[in-house]
Amino acid sequence: MSDVLTPQTPVPTAELAQLVREQILEMGTSPDGTHIGGSLSATDIMTLLYNEVLRLRPDEPGWADRDRFILSKGHASAALYAVLAARGFLPTEELASYGVTGGRLAGHPLRRLPGVEFPSGSLGHGLSLGVGSALAARRQGRPSRVFVLMGDGEIQEGSVWEAAMSAAHLRLGNLTAIVDRNRLQITGHTEERMGLEPLADKWRAFGWHTVEADGHDLDALRAALTAPPATGDRPTMVIAETVKGKGVPLFEDKKKSHSVKLSPNLHRRALAGLRARSRRQP
């Protein structure tokens, strides 16, 4: 692996996000590759959540009062595994077993892995799981918040909007959903396949407190995700505008980045581009 993520030492979120991106590229060299584009677009969101927002106990994954994170877009598992390693839920060295037969790090997350609340990857179901989790926490009188990260392609599915109606009807103020709005799905641009706009207006019409933010601006994400629910009994939707393949010029805003197996040469080029891009940023 490249640089080692050490959960014992606090790391600034921006620096940690860079390390997570490098780990994603490493996992892209696995026997079947990985979903690089959607993992990179969601990196800043997941890194901020796990590094600053979620109330968790890595040494006690089943802590009853923990916050819940549900990765509805389960194909972005590489990013999830990297941040779980950063928080100490699994050894960093285990990331090298991604996609290897017999290992715990499958292409889509499995419940047997500490820190994973639900198996996911059958798209369109994560928000329903989040509604159930948020309702259970409220009925049990627990302070837990629930965060669900969805891809924009999956919200074309009707089950998402049934869950959206339920969350508003049940007044689940402890539920926050995030859309990774990179505007690309496996078959192309979302607006060409099944138009979603005006997306923010739709969530507002469904009764959600809705915030639009740059999904790669950590300050904007922090403002959207760290504040306690300000609306009391309304669920919150954060529409995070992102770029598929963010940080790697070779893959940015390209459909081909959806799932890639990196050859040694392609990995070197991608990693060099990522590091060069990082050096140019202020």
mmCIF file of all heavy atoms in Angstrom, residues 128-152:
data_model
loop_
_atom_site.group_PDB
_atom_site.id
_atom_site.type_symbol
_atom_site.label_atom_id
_atom_site.label_comp_id
_atom_site.label_asym_id
_atom_site.label_seq_id
_atom_site.Cartn_x
_atom_site.Cartn_y
_atom_site.Cartn_z
ATOM 1 N N SER A 128 -34.410 3.495 2.453
ATOM 2 C CA SER A 128 -35.403 2.758 3.245
ATOM 3 C C SER A 128 -34.770 2.189 4.510
ATOM 4 O O SER A 128 -35.379 2.227 5.599
ATOM 5 C CB SER A 128 -36.006 1.625 2.410
ATOM 6 O OG SER A 128 -36.740 2.131 1.319
ATOM 7 N N LEU A 129 -33.551 1.661 4.393
ATOM 8 C CA LEU A 129 -32.849 1.165 5.570
ATOM 9 C C LEU A 129 -32.582 2.296 6.555
ATOM 10 O O LEU A 129 -32.679 2.126 7.771
ATOM 11 C CB LEU A 129 -31.535 0.503 5.156
ATOM 12 C CG LEU A 129 -31.657 -0.752 4.289
ATOM 13 C CD1 LEU A 129 -30.286 -1.164 3.759
ATOM 14 C CD2 LEU A 129 -32.293 -1.893 5.065
ATOM 15 N N GLY A 130 -32.256 3.462 6.019
ATOM 16 C CA GLY A 130 -32.016 4.618 6.867
ATOM 17 C C GLY A 130 -33.269 5.059 7.599
ATOM 18 O O GLY A 130 -33.212 5.441 8.780
ATOM 19 N N VAL A 131 -34.405 5.027 6.910
ATOM 20 C CA VAL A 131 -35.671 5.383 7.552
ATOM 21 C C VAL A 131 -35.945 4.443 8.727
ATOM 22 O O VAL A 131 -36.298 4.876 9.831
ATOM 23 C CB VAL A 131 -36.826 5.334 6.534
ATOM 24 C CG1 VAL A 131 -38.185 5.399 7.238
ATOM 25 C CG2 VAL A 131 -36.700 6.473 5.526
ATOM 26 N N GLY A 132 -35.766 3.147 8.505
ATOM 27 C CA GLY A 132 -35.986 2.182 9.580
ATOM 28 C C GLY A 132 -35.044 2.395 10.744
ATOM 29 O O GLY A 132 -35.453 2.318 11.921
ATOM 30 N N SER A 133 -33.777 2.681 10.446
ATOM 31 C CA SER A 133 -32.793 2.891 11.511
ATOM 32 C C SER A 133 -33.106 4.149 12.312
ATOM 33 O O SER A 133 -32.996 4.164 13.546
ATOM 34 C CB SER A 133 -31.390 2.995 10.906
ATOM 35 O OG SER A 133 -31.011 1.780 10.292
ATOM 36 N N ALA A 134 -33.480 5.221 11.621
ATOM 37 C CA ALA A 134 -33.790 6.478 12.315
ATOM 38 C C ALA A 134 -35.045 6.333 13.170
ATOM 39 O O ALA A 134 -35.113 6.844 14.302
ATOM 40 C CB ALA A 134 -33.967 7.595 11.291
ATOM 41 N N LEU A 135 -36.035 5.624 12.646
ATOM 42 C CA LEU A 135 -37.269 5.413 13.413
ATOM 43 C C LEU A 135 -36.991 4.568 14.653
ATOM 44 O O LEU A 135 -37.494 4.856 15.748
ATOM 45 C CB LEU A 135 -38.313 4.746 12.530
ATOM 46 C CG LEU A 135 -39.680 4.472 13.170
ATOM 47 C CD1 LEU A 135 -40.327 5.769 13.632
ATOM 48 C CD2 LEU A 135 -40.587 3.727 12.185
ATOM 49 N N ALA A 136 -36.170 3.525 14.494
ATOM 50 C CA ALA A 136 -35.828 2.665 15.641
ATOM 51 C C ALA A 136 -35.099 3.463 16.712
ATOM 52 O O ALA A 136 -35.381 3.319 17.912
ATOM 53 C CB ALA A 136 -34.974 1.494 15.163
ATOM 54 N N ALA A 137 -34.141 4.309 16.307
ATOM 55 C CA ALA A 137 -33.402 5.114 17.280
ATOM 56 C C ALA A 137 -34.339 6.032 18.055
ATOM 57 O O ALA A 137 -34.218 6.184 19.276
ATOM 58 C CB ALA A 137 -32.327 5.930 16.572
ATOM 59 N N ARG A 138 -35.280 6.644 17.351
ATOM 60 C CA ARG A 138 -36.210 7.542 18.038
ATOM 61 C C ARG A 138 -37.097 6.780 19.012
ATOM 62 O O ARG A 138 -37.303 7.213 20.153
ATOM 63 C CB ARG A 138 -37.072 8.286 17.012
ATOM 64 C CG ARG A 138 -37.941 9.379 17.657
ATOM 65 C CD ARG A 138 -38.714 10.146 16.624
ATOM 66 N NE ARG A 138 -39.774 9.343 16.029
ATOM 67 C CZ ARG A 138 -40.516 9.743 14.997
ATOM 68 N NH1 ARG A 138 -40.271 10.918 14.427
ATOM 69 N NH2 ARG A 138 -41.476 8.969 14.516
ATOM 70 N N ARG A 139 -37.606 5.649 18.588
ATOM 71 C CA ARG A 139 -38.493 4.877 19.464
ATOM 72 C C ARG A 139 -37.763 4.341 20.692
ATOM 73 O O ARG A 139 -38.363 4.169 21.757
ATOM 74 C CB ARG A 139 -39.130 3.736 18.678
ATOM 75 C CG ARG A 139 -40.184 4.223 17.683
ATOM 76 C CD ARG A 139 -40.887 3.084 16.987
ATOM 77 N NE ARG A 139 -42.018 3.566 16.189
ATOM 78 C CZ ARG A 139 -42.781 2.782 15.439
ATOM 79 N NH1 ARG A 139 -42.529 1.476 15.369
ATOM 80 N NH2 ARG A 139 -43.784 3.300 14.747
ATOM 81 N N GLN A 140 -36.451 4.098 20.534
ATOM 82 C CA GLN A 140 -35.657 3.604 21.661
ATOM 83 C C GLN A 140 -35.113 4.741 22.524
ATOM 84 O O GLN A 140 -34.460 4.493 23.540
ATOM 85 C CB GLN A 140 -34.502 2.749 21.144
ATOM 86 C CG GLN A 140 -34.954 1.449 20.486
ATOM 87 C CD GLN A 140 -33.832 0.754 19.731
ATOM 88 O OE1 GLN A 140 -32.690 1.227 19.710
ATOM 89 N NE2 GLN A 140 -34.153 -0.361 19.096
ATOM 90 N N GLY A 141 -35.378 5.969 22.117
ATOM 91 C CA GLY A 141 -34.907 7.115 22.878
ATOM 92 C C GLY A 141 -33.411 7.327 22.799
ATOM 93 O O GLY A 141 -32.806 7.887 23.721
ATOM 94 N N ARG A 142 -32.792 6.913 21.710
ATOM 95 C CA ARG A 142 -31.341 7.028 21.572
ATOM 96 C C ARG A 142 -30.978 8.301 20.793
ATOM 97 O O ARG A 142 -31.740 8.760 19.938
ATOM 98 C CB ARG A 142 -30.773 5.799 20.862
ATOM 99 C CG ARG A 142 -31.041 4.514 21.631
ATOM 100 C CD ARG A 142 -30.207 3.354 21.115
ATOM 101 N NE ARG A 142 -30.521 2.121 21.826
ATOM 102 C CZ ARG A 142 -30.060 1.807 23.030
ATOM 103 N NH1 ARG A 142 -29.264 2.648 23.660
ATOM 104 N NH2 ARG A 142 -30.393 0.665 23.594
ATOM 105 N N PRO A 143 -29.793 8.850 21.056
ATOM 106 C CA PRO A 143 -29.379 10.083 20.385
ATOM 107 C C PRO A 143 -28.808 9.866 18.986
ATOM 108 O O PRO A 143 -28.361 10.818 18.343
ATOM 109 C CB PRO A 143 -28.302 10.634 21.325
ATOM 110 C CG PRO A 143 -27.669 9.395 21.904
ATOM 111 C CD PRO A 143 -28.803 8.406 22.079
ATOM 112 N N SER A 144 -28.803 8.655 18.520
ATOM 113 C CA SER A 144 -28.153 8.318 17.248
ATOM 114 C C SER A 144 -28.742 9.098 16.078
ATOM 115 O O SER A 144 -29.960 9.258 15.954
ATOM 116 C CB SER A 144 -28.302 6.820 16.968
ATOM 117 O OG SER A 144 -27.835 6.052 18.049
ATOM 118 N N ARG A 145 -27.836 9.562 15.210
ATOM 119 C CA ARG A 145 -28.238 10.121 13.924
ATOM 120 C C ARG A 145 -27.911 9.100 12.839
ATOM 121 O O ARG A 145 -27.018 8.252 13.002
ATOM 122 C CB ARG A 145 -27.520 11.439 13.647
ATOM 123 C CG ARG A 145 -27.878 12.552 14.616
ATOM 124 C CD ARG A 145 -27.129 13.826 14.304
ATOM 125 N NE ARG A 145 -27.532 14.384 13.012
ATOM 126 C CZ ARG A 145 -26.929 15.442 12.452
ATOM 127 N NH1 ARG A 145 -25.891 16.010 13.045
ATOM 128 N NH2 ARG A 145 -27.349 15.906 11.283
ATOM 129 N N VAL A 146 -28.625 9.177 11.747
ATOM 130 C CA VAL A 146 -28.447 8.242 10.638
ATOM 131 C C VAL A 146 -28.107 9.040 9.383
ATOM 132 O O VAL A 146 -28.797 10.007 9.053
ATOM 133 C CB VAL A 146 -29.719 7.400 10.410
ATOM 134 C CG1 VAL A 146 -29.522 6.438 9.239
ATOM 135 C CG2 VAL A 146 -30.088 6.637 11.685
ATOM 136 N N PHE A 147 -27.045 8.614 8.700
ATOM 137 C CA PHE A 147 -26.608 9.256 7.466
ATOM 138 C C PHE A 147 -26.614 8.217 6.349
ATOM 139 O O PHE A 147 -26.076 7.116 6.512
ATOM 140 C CB PHE A 147 -25.197 9.827 7.626
ATOM 141 C CG PHE A 147 -25.101 10.944 8.635
ATOM 142 C CD1 PHE A 147 -24.995 10.657 9.997
ATOM 143 C CD2 PHE A 147 -25.125 12.264 8.231
ATOM 144 C CE1 PHE A 147 -24.921 11.680 10.935
ATOM 145 C CE2 PHE A 147 -25.037 13.302 9.157
ATOM 146 C CZ PHE A 147 -24.937 13.007 10.513
ATOM 147 N N VAL A 148 -27.208 8.562 5.229
ATOM 148 C CA VAL A 148 -27.299 7.656 4.082
ATOM 149 C C VAL A 148 -26.684 8.351 2.878
ATOM 150 O O VAL A 148 -27.082 9.474 2.526
ATOM 151 C CB VAL A 148 -28.755 7.285 3.764
ATOM 152 C CG1 VAL A 148 -28.815 6.337 2.556
ATOM 153 C CG2 VAL A 148 -29.433 6.647 4.973
ATOM 154 N N LEU A 149 -25.715 7.706 2.237
ATOM 155 C CA LEU A 149 -25.100 8.251 1.035
ATOM 156 C C LEU A 149 -25.607 7.492 -0.186
ATOM 157 O O LEU A 149 -25.435 6.271 -0.286
ATOM 158 C CB LEU A 149 -23.573 8.147 1.112
ATOM 159 C CG LEU A 149 -22.800 8.654 -0.108
ATOM 160 C CD1 LEU A 149 -23.118 10.108 -0.416
ATOM 161 C CD2 LEU A 149 -21.301 8.462 0.089
ATOM 162 N N MET A 150 -26.219 8.230 -1.104
ATOM 163 C CA MET A 150 -26.797 7.639 -2.310
ATOM 164 C C MET A 150 -26.099 8.177 -3.556
ATOM 165 O O MET A 150 -25.589 9.298 -3.570
ATOM 166 C CB MET A 150 -28.296 7.974 -2.399
ATOM 167 C CG MET A 150 -29.110 7.480 -1.226
ATOM 168 S SD MET A 150 -30.872 7.844 -1.447
ATOM 169 C CE MET A 150 -30.878 9.617 -1.193
ATOM 170 N N GLY A 151 -26.119 7.381 -4.608
ATOM 171 C CA GLY A 151 -25.687 7.856 -5.905
ATOM 172 C C GLY A 151 -26.850 8.540 -6.607
ATOM 173 O O GLY A 151 -28.015 8.251 -6.341
ATOM 174 N N ASP A 152 -26.542 9.455 -7.537
ATOM 175 C CA ASP A 152 -27.643 10.132 -8.208
ATOM 176 C C ASP A 152 -28.350 9.227 -9.213
ATOM 177 O O ASP A 152 -29.549 9.380 -9.459
ATOM 178 C CB ASP A 152 -27.206 11.449 -8.852
ATOM 179 C CG ASP A 152 -25.972 11.334 -9.737
ATOM 180 O OD1 ASP A 152 -25.453 10.220 -9.923
ATOM 181 O OD2 ASP A 152 -25.522 12.379 -10.242
#
